[in-house]
Amino acid sequence: MDVFKGQYEMIQRTRESLFRFCESMSPTDYVKEIETFGEVSISSLHAHVADCYRV
């Protein structure tokens, strides 16, 4: 179980870093579609990742 706990803690730290970075972005940039991301926005990718946690 220690391995799973360690992995989850690493995921939590990574998500926290991402959230801090997104807070520094302007709302316009957060929802702007990005060509290299397949014409989706960072907010769309955030929603997709959050949806992956649903069971």
Side-chain angles (χ1 to χ4, degrees):
M1 289 303 279
D2 287 337
V3 172
F4 295 123
K5 184 178 178 186
Q7 288 177 340
Y8 186 70
E9 288 171 354
M10 186 172 20
I11 290 168
Q12 285 179 308
R13 287 191 305 271
T14 303
R15 281 193 331 215
E16 181 61 32
S17 295
L18 175 64
F19 291 147
R20 263 190 260 120
F21 174 76
C22 289
E23 287 174 351
S24 72
M25 299 175 73
S26 72
T28 303
D29 286 339
Y30 186 67
V31 298
K32 179 181 176 183
E33 292 182 351
I34 302 170
E35 183 179 333
T36 56
F37 280 6
E39 298 296 331
V40 297
S41 66
I42 292 174
S43 67
S44 295
L45 291 174
H46 247 157
H48 169 72
V49 170
D51 195 40
C52 290
Y53 284 95
R54 292 191 318 158
V55 177

